[in-house]
């Protein structure tokens, strides 16, 4: 059984890591972009950001003054047991969020939408968001925190099936140009695209594609993987670079996730996980061991399953 005190202490460490340490995959992508960039201002921004990340880590200070909106992705194996159950788990994550806001510190960004009430701890109605996933085997708990910035770097459009890949490209490019020209999210970003589902699940899918997959990762469907490559190149060929300045480093990577949708439509969402692509992950085991990493490993074969029921690979192998 996993104790709630261990969940809370791990969650507080994760929030510190997320705010301060840029994930290595994003850093590698940014370094490659800096090497390739020849726009003056874009190059300047990229070099300044690389120095900023190093200084933030050395001084143990947040990499950006806007520390985003902290949220949690919780995944567990089918046999996982949590002391006190799901209510205790959520209490631990809310306590960790409040404590980390003071101790890291994080900017208390969360306010009531109408009265602008601020509890100064990033906790309130529906905040932080806690989303769940499950896996067929195991007694572990994966905690992923994402401190997403880029408040306006998100958009949605209902396309028709007849819009096809060309329509998807058009909306993708429209979104990137708007994000760059209007300063809606600091670039270069990891772009997540959600295709299909329903309007709400399409938004969730696109955000997860941006925040829960690492740079260089590819969708297991080879045709979607080819689109991801094409879209990365396309996004870097519109003449905009870092912070929307002239250049060719708008997109560090493009991740696409799909969900089955109504036959009459083709939902599409676009999300920018900004220049501060903050995520940190830990796996807590039943024996109290904790392993830290930066890859959420969210989109497993189980999360992308198409079948009515799920057979473990072992039982599939036996029946083959
Ligand atoms: S978009 Fe990202 S990098 Fe830019 S100010 Fe917001 S959190 Fe910071």
């Amino acid at each position: 059984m996993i104790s709630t005190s261990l969940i809370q202490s791990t969650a507080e460490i994760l929030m510190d890591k997320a705010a301060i340490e840029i994930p290595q995959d994003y850093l590698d992508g940014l370094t490659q972009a800096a090497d390739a960039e020849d726009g003056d201002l874009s190059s300047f921004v990229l070099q300044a950001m690389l120095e900023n990340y190093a200084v933030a880590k050395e001084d143990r200070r947040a990499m950006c003054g806007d520390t985003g909106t902290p949220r949690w992705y919780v995944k567990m194996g089918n046999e996982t047991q949590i002391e006190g159950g799901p209510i205790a788990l959520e209490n631990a994550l809310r306590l960790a969020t409040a404590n980390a806001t003071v101790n890291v510190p994080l900017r208390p960004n969360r306010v009531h939408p109408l009265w602008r009430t601020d509890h100064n701890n990033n906790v309130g109605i529906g905040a932080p968001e806690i989303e769940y996933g499950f896996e067929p085997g195991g007694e572990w708990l994966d905690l992923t925190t994402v401190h997403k910035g880029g408040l306006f770097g998100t958009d949605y459009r209902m396309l028709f099936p007849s819009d096809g890949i060309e329509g998807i490209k058009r909306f993708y490019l429209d979104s990137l140009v708007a994000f760059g020209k209007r300063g809606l999210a600091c670039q270069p970003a990891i772009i997540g695209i959600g295709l299909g589902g329903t309007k709400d699940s399409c938004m969730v899918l696109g955000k997860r594609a941006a925040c829960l997959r690492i740079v260089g990762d590819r969708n297991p469907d080879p045709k979607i993987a080819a689109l991801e490559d094409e879209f990365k190149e396309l996004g870097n060929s519109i003449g905009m670079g870092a912070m929307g300045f002239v250049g060719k480093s708008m997109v560090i990577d493009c991740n696409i996730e799909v969900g089955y949708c109504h036959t009459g439509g083709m939902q599409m969402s676009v999300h920018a996980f900004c220049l501060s692509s903050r995520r940190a992950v830990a796996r807590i085991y039943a024996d109290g061991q904790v392993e830290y990493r930066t890859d959420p490993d969210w989109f497993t074969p189980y999360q992308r399953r198409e079948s009515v029921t799920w057979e473990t690979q072992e039982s599939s192998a036996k029946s083959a």
Side-chain angles (χ1 to χ4, degrees):
M1 183 168 301
I2 297 174
S3 77
T4 42
S5 60
L6 182 59
I7 293 172
Q8 186 184 326
S9 59
T10 305
E12 289 183 28
I13 292 169
L14 283 177
M15 295 195 80
D16 184 85
K17 283 179 175 292
I20 294 170
E21 299 169 19
I22 199 77
Q24 192 62 44
D25 59 282
Y26 181 82
L27 191 58
D28 291 346
L30 196 74
T31 306
Q32 279 174 21
D35 290 344
E37 184 57 83
D38 50 20
D40 289 353
L41 285 171
S42 268
S43 288
F44 174 78
V45 170
L46 294 173
Q47 288 304 334
M49 285 314 298
L50 288 169
E51 285 166 28
N52 175 65
Y53 294 140
V55 171
K57 196 171 171 186
E58 203 178 308
D59 291 357
R60 299 308 299 168
R61 283 195 290 184
M63 67 182 81
C64 180
D66 180 351
T67 52
T69 46
R71 59 169 50 220
W72 291 99
Y73 294 93
V74 177
K75 200 194 252 192
M76 60 187 86
N78 195 40
E79 282 80 47
T80 303
Q81 292 189 327
I82 293 164
E83 176 198 20
I87 303 296
L89 166 70
E90 296 201 332
N91 276 342
L93 295 180
R94 287 169 79 89
L95 276 166
T97 303
N99 288 346
T101 301
V102 174
N103 295 331
V104 175
L106 306 175
R107 197 166 78 179
N109 277 338
R110 295 283 196 159
V111 298
H112 189 287
L114 294 172
W115 324 130
R116 315 314 284 184
T117 314
D118 192 338
H119 299 310
N120 286 316
N121 58 11
N122 281 308
V123 176
I125 301 171
E129 293 82 358
I130 305 175
E131 298 181 30
Y132 295 92
F134 304 93
E135 290 292 328
E139 292 181 68
W140 46 263
L141 179 75
D142 271 4
L143 294 179
T144 299
T145 191
V146 168
H147 301 180
K148 186 163 178 324
L151 184 58
F152 300 98
T154 299
D155 210 347
Y156 170 85
R157 189 176 286 177
M158 173 62 95
L159 302 173
F160 290 102
S162 56
D163 287 319
I165 300 293
E166 291 310 306
I168 293 169
K169 280 184 195 168
R170 192 175 312 122
F171 180 46
Y172 171 65
L173 291 176
D174 284 353
S175 303
L176 290 193
V177 170
F179 295 169
K181 277 173 75 174
R182 296 167 59 205
L184 301 184
C186 297
Q187 299 89 18
I190 302 174
I191 301 295
I193 295 179
L195 290 174
T198 56
K199 183 171 185 176
D200 55 342
S201 67
C202 180
M203 290 297 282
V204 168
L205 204 55
K207 181 167 273 188
R208 289 179 176 179
C211 301
L212 299 181
R213 283 181 48 193
I214 61 169
V215 173
D217 180 26
R218 282 292 167 260
N219 192 292
D221 181 324
K223 287 185 185 160
I224 297 176
L227 274 182
E228 291 175 335
D229 285 337
E230 186 185 345
F231 278 30
K232 178 183 172 186
E233 205 181 313
L234 199 59
N236 286 328
S237 64
I238 58 177
M240 279 194 233
M243 307 297 279
F245 291 124
V246 172
K248 53 187 180 190
S249 48
M250 185 94 175
V251 178
I252 292 294
D253 210 351
C254 180
N255 301 327
I256 302 174
E257 288 297 325
V258 301
Y260 275 38
C261 61
H262 190 287
T263 185
M266 187 166 62
Q267 298 80 354
M268 175 167 174
S269 68
V270 182
H271 302 253
F273 197 20
C274 70
L275 195 47
S276 296
S277 285
R278 292 167 289 226
R279 62 171 135 74
V281 190
R283 174 163 292 191
I284 308 176
Y285 293 93
D287 64 2
Q289 193 194 339
V290 182
E291 286 171 358
Y292 292 92
R293 59 184 206 262
T294 52
D295 181 356
D297 191 24
W298 186 271
F299 288 100
T300 58
Y302 183 72
Q303 303 302 320
R304 292 184 176 122
R305 68 197 182 279
E306 291 197 57
S307 55
V308 175
T309 56
W310 175 260
E311 288 184 73
T312 62
Q313 288 183 352
E314 195 179 58
S315 60
S316 300
K318 272 184 200 156
S319 61

